[in-house]
Amino acid sequence: MTQKKVCYLLTFIAYFGMPLGVPFIKSAEPYILGLPFLLFWMVLWIFLGTGLMIIVHRINPDAEEEVE
Amino acid sequence: MIISVGIIVIFLVIALFLGITASRGKDMSLEQWSVGGRGFGSIFIFLLMAGEIYTTNAFLGVSGWMYGKGGVAFYNIAMLNYVIAYWLTPKIWAYGKKHSLLSQSDFFEKAYNSRFLGMLVAVVGLAALIPYLIIQLKGLGIIVSEASYGAIDPKITIWIGTIAMIAYVMVSGIHGSAWTAVMKDFLILGVVLFLGIYLPIHYYGGIQAMWEAIEVVKPGFLTLPDTGFSASWYISTMMLTSLGFYMWPHTFVATFSAKNGNALRKNAIMLPIYALFLLFILFVGAAAILQVPGLEGGAVDLALFKISTQTFNPVIVGFIGAAGLLTAIVPGSLILMSAATLFAKNVVKPIRPQTTDQQIGIIARYSVPVIALVALYFTFSGGGAITLLFLMGYGLVTQFVPAVVCSFMKKNPLTLQGVFAGVIVGVTIVGWQAATGVHLSKLFPSWPSYIQDINIGFLALSVNVFVSLMVSIFTRKVFVKNDETIESI
């Protein structure tokens, strides 16, 4: 049950992490990896979010039940 | 011109061949035709779903938005839908498998035990699908006519593309879409990577140099404006599309074709990385800002092709055109098939319950050309209102979210009446806004702009949730002594 809660918490972070930062980005600078900051922020969260969901999938008890 | 068109034609023929031979050796019952016998593994499902990302809308629309609106277009690469998909799609799949469901309406009909709800969902779904199909057809016309340097009338291409689509959808159903999706995705990734890297380096000497050059000419273009398409619009639109992505009748149905729930979970995790290639489409749109200036209004959609024809020889333009052609006909065929299945199973069947399943299969197949012709009619007669209709489509399908999510709860808080009321209210708000074009700042001028800028579909969804809950509480009280009354209505 606690495993499930960790899953939900990580999912929550993966979903809201990126939108929460958006209102604070007021300038194209600093450029990171050649991208304007807003675009970099989006790309960063694609990787962070995917990483979080991979962890979720590893520990998600539902996912194990269906392995053939 | 002959070279570029020749390349496009070759790809069209290959797509047709793949689509038509895909069904060989399978008996095409309605279940095979529309959900591939529920036997698709991770990779195939992935390609079908991902096909939904790389449509004409991504190819022309995202680059056009980058060109015309700047930083606002960045939201396109953030596919928050995968987070929701991870939890929701395996549940939809399991329910679909348990009850042998073939369409989105079947799901509602079963979950809320009401044919009428199934019909309402089918009608709303069709209302959202037709404009989506029109977008693909319009895109098809633009792509081929631009790739032929204006020599081919868009109308002719739209006709040919539509006929090709009808042919392989009728013969192969979802198998045709899956195979052409494989080819499409390889081609589009190649083209997008090439253009997105080559153009910034060719014209600006590098990717960061390109952004800096844009910032000099148009200061502030790469961030969000304070009003209008502001941070609140940006965030609410991201959330709306993340909720709506799997609520389209065709994406909903695509989950049914999975072999198991884990195929869908893995698919969800991989999706955002795949969507990352949209980044390169943004680069193309950005490169066009200073190189082909002056495109206004609907013409921004031409940005990708204008800069391509200006930069490359006809061979490369031909490949770009072929990729564009496939981004239109692959999603287009999936949309067409879902619309046909919806129509036969959830509109015709409830009206004429004595129709046999075999007849339904035949009706579904033969309604394909009819639906295609309806879309063709609107494609040729409609003007600039198409984009409005598309946004309306997303707003419409998102209204299904509360009913779907609640149906998976241990004790569903919503009653049938609640769902009916909520969906109708939500759909009405979206439709009314699209028809009148009213913006919240006009209705409530005193409200702060961060509320005024919220995407209307998102607001409609909030009202929908509120109404559904209120009506559900009310109907529970009224029918509390006779639970069967609720179920049988």
Side-chain angles (χ1 to χ4, degrees):
Chain A
M1 201 51 206
T2 40
Q3 246 176 354
K4 204 71 187 267
K5 273 186 188 149
V6 175
C7 286
Y8 288 142
L9 178 71
L10 295 180
T11 304
F12 189 82
I13 298 171
Y15 190 85
F16 288 102
M18 188 263 291
L20 281 177
V22 168
F24 302 102
I25 299 168
K26 298 283 180 202
S27 161
E29 289 175 342
Y31 291 89
I32 301 180
L33 301 174
L35 303 175
F37 193 72
L38 178 60
L39 191 53
F40 166 75
W41 180 253
M42 312 286 289
V43 173
L44 175 72
W45 270 98
I46 289 176
F47 287 104
L48 285 179
T50 305
L52 287 170
M53 292 313 286
I54 289 172
I55 298 171
V56 167
H57 190 61
R58 284 268 168 82
I59 62 176
N60 182 6
D62 293 358
E64 284 168 18
E65 285 165 22
E66 283 169 39
V67 173
E68 285 169 30
Chain B
M1 173 245 152
I2 290 173
I3 299 170
S4 57
V5 173
I7 293 170
I8 295 173
V9 169
I10 290 169
F11 273 95
L12 180 64
V13 172
I14 297 173
L16 262 179
F17 177 78
L18 277 178
I20 288 169
T21 52
S23 61
R24 199 176 282 162
K26 298 188 179 76
D27 80 300
M28 294 301 266
S29 63
L30 188 62
E31 190 164 28
Q32 268 293 343
W33 189 71
S34 64
V35 295
R38 286 175 229 282
F40 290 167
S42 304
I43 294 173
F44 242 43
I45 287 295
F46 182 68
L47 287 166
L48 271 177
M49 290 279 192
E52 200 47 41
I53 300 169
Y54 293 107
T55 66
T56 353
N57 206 42
F59 205 56
L60 301 180
V62 171
S63 56
W65 258 61
M66 184 65 232
Y67 175 94
K69 297 236 160 42
V72 180
F74 294 163
Y75 87 88
N76 284 293
I77 68 159
M79 291 265 157
L80 286 177
N81 57 36
Y82 71 100
V83 179
I84 292 169
Y86 182 86
W87 295 101
L88 197 58
T89 53
K91 288 204 159 71
I92 296 174
W93 171 83
Y95 195 81
K97 174 153 175 133
K98 192 172 155 203
H99 299 285
S100 312
L101 306 181
L102 293 177
S103 74
Q104 187 184 30
S105 293
D106 292 352
F107 179 94
F108 283 85
E109 192 177 319
K110 201 83 201 170
Y112 290 90
N113 195 17
S114 160
R115 285 225 146 145
F116 289 108
L117 185 62
M119 262 180 94
L120 174 73
V121 169
V123 171
V124 175
L126 279 171
L129 281 179
I130 301 257
Y132 201 13
L133 190 56
I134 294 169
I135 302 249
Q136 309 302 332
L137 293 178
K138 284 223 157 189
L140 192 69
I142 291 177
I143 287 160
V144 182
S145 110
E146 287 293 316
S148 70
Y149 301 87
I152 297 181
D153 185 357
K155 278 191 182 162
I156 298 170
T157 16
I158 292 173
W159 270 107
I160 296 172
T162 310
I163 291 166
M165 217 147 71
I166 293 170
Y168 77 66
V169 172
M170 283 183 78
V171 176
S172 298
I174 202 166
H175 292 282
S177 300
W179 278 112
T180 41
V182 175
M183 181 171 79
K184 177 202 80 160
D185 287 12
F186 275 108
L187 189 61
I188 192 90
L189 292 183
V191 164
V192 161
L193 273 176
F194 170 72
L195 289 179
I197 293 169
Y198 181 85
L199 290 172
I201 292 173
H202 176 71
Y203 283 112
Y204 303 92
I207 288 167
Q208 184 168 342
M210 170 179 77
W211 298 116
E212 283 166 352
I214 295 167
E215 191 64 25
V216 168
V217 179
K218 296 184 157 193
F221 198 58
L222 304 177
T223 45
L224 301 174
D226 289 332
T227 55
F229 292 110
S230 62
S232 3
W233 184 88
Y234 192 88
I235 293 169
S236 59
T237 302
M238 250 178 340
M239 290 188 173
L240 182 79
T241 49
S242 76
L243 291 169
F245 190 80
Y246 288 94
M247 291 298 136
W248 287 91
H250 57 292
T251 48
F252 202 94
V253 165
T255 64
F256 291 162
S257 2
K259 228 184 249 167
N260 55 44
N262 261 344
L264 290 165
R265 291 195 185 94
K266 284 183 199 148
N267 174 1
I269 295 173
M270 287 188 284
L271 208 60
I273 299 293
Y274 201 68
L276 200 56
F277 287 96
L278 286 172
L279 189 62
F280 295 93
I281 300 183
L282 289 176
F283 291 171
V284 177
I289 294 172
L290 301 179
Q291 297 306 323
V292 284
L295 302 175
E296 302 259 345
V300 297
D301 291 342
L302 301 176
L304 184 142
F305 271 96
K306 290 285 181 219
I307 193 168
S308 299
T309 47
Q310 175 186 310
T311 315
F312 300 112
N313 64 40
V315 176
I316 294 176
V317 171
F319 277 98
I320 299 169
L325 173 92
L326 295 178
T327 62
I329 62 174
V330 175
S333 63
L334 203 56
I335 297 165
L336 200 50
M337 199 181 56
S338 304
T341 312
L342 262 184
F343 176 73
K345 250 206 124 229
N346 304 95
V347 180
V348 174
K349 177 94 176 172
I351 295 172
R352 281 178 51 94
Q354 69 272 33
T355 321
T356 64
D357 282 357
Q358 204 189 351
Q359 283 171 318
I360 292 293
I362 293 167
I363 293 171
R365 225 176 266 205
Y366 285 93
S367 56
V368 167
V370 179
I371 292 166
L373 287 175
V374 171
L376 263 184
Y377 171 78
F378 284 115
T379 307
F380 291 139
S381 68
I386 297 290
T387 319
L388 260 181
L389 284 170
F390 177 66
L391 289 175
M392 182 179 91
Y394 243 108
L396 289 177
V397 294
T398 315
Q399 305 309 322
F400 300 149
V401 172
V404 173
V405 172
C406 288
S407 75
F408 294 123
M409 292 183 181
K410 285 210 179 74
K411 194 178 179 321
N412 189 341
L414 299 184
T415 62
L416 172 62
Q417 293 86 346
V419 171
F420 248 104
V423 169
I424 287 173
V425 169
V427 162
T428 309
I429 295 174
V430 173
W432 170 78
Q433 197 277 337
T436 58
V438 171
H439 189 255
L440 280 179
S441 60
K442 291 262 163 54
L443 290 178
F444 307 103
S446 60
W447 290 8
S449 68
Y450 60 82
I451 295 180
Q452 288 172 350
D453 294 339
I454 291 174
N455 188 311
I456 193 82
F458 197 79
L459 276 181
L461 184 62
S462 318
V463 178
N464 171 352
V465 170
F466 179 75
V467 170
S468 308
L469 282 174
M470 287 300 126
V471 172
S472 297
I473 291 167
F474 179 73
T475 46
R476 277 251 159 71
K477 284 223 166 108
V478 170
F479 298 112
V480 75
K481 278 175 192 153
N482 191 354
D483 249 350
E484 282 169 20
T485 326
I486 299 172
E487 306 228 316
S488 62
I489 283 173

